[in-house]
Amino acid sequence: QVQLVESGGGLVQAGGSLRLSCAASGTIFRVNIMGWYRQAPGKQRELVATISSRGNINYVDSVKGRFTISRDNAKNTVYLQMNSLKPEDTALYYCNANIQRGTAYPLTNYWGQGTQVTVSS
């Protein structure tokens, strides 16, 4: 089995910072793309940022210049540094990873349980 465990959410004032972490554990052969998504109340889940195993990065326009995604391949962990937070960043943030459990297994999409980020004005 594979698990994604997130940490680092919380309540912060506008303009503040938070750092999210997500560690993949279990039987893992290869981790491909890792990323963060978010879902605000009444809205669809949206992509925030992704990073490939080679370091190729993609951000949604609304977080460019404020958020930084990074990963530690040795620890199968992805991070999201969030600076200059705004009330509209308030959402449940989900970690996502494309993982292959072994050579005989296909790449499979896994999700974390979500961590709440609340930004007060």
Side-chain angles (χ1 to χ4, degrees), residues 4 6 20 22 35-40 45-49 78 80 91-97 110-116:
L4 300 182
E6 301 134 333
L20 306 183
C22 171
W36 293 94
Y37 290 70
R38 66 186 179 186
Q39 187 167 19
R45 189 175 298 189
E46 68 167 352
L47 180 148
V48 177
V78 63
L80 186 67
L92 193 58
Y93 282 70
Y94 293 93
C95 174
N96 175 269
Y110 291 90
W111 292 92
Q113 78 284 0
T115 185
Q116 179 66 39

Side-chain angles (χ1 to χ4, degrees), residues 25-57:
S25 64
T27 304
I28 296 173
F29 171 69
R30 181 167 69 97
V31 182
N32 193 10
I33 295 173
M34 302 186 82
W36 293 94
Y37 290 70
R38 66 186 179 186
Q39 187 167 19
K43 295 188 176 181
Q44 288 189 332
R45 189 175 298 189
E46 68 167 352
L47 180 148
V48 177
T50 60
I51 182 168
S52 74
S53 58
R54 297 186 177 185
N56 295 317
I57 290 172

Side-chain angles (χ1 to χ4, degrees), residues 11 17 24 27 47 64 102 108 114:
L11 172 65
S17 298
T27 304
L47 180 148
K64 286 180 180 176
T108 302

Side-chain angles (χ1 to χ4, degrees), residues 7-9 17-21 70 79-82:
S7 60
S17 298
L18 284 173
R19 188 188 194 216
L20 306 183
S21 299
S70 61
Y79 307 96
L80 186 67
Q81 177 66 43
M82 305 184 293

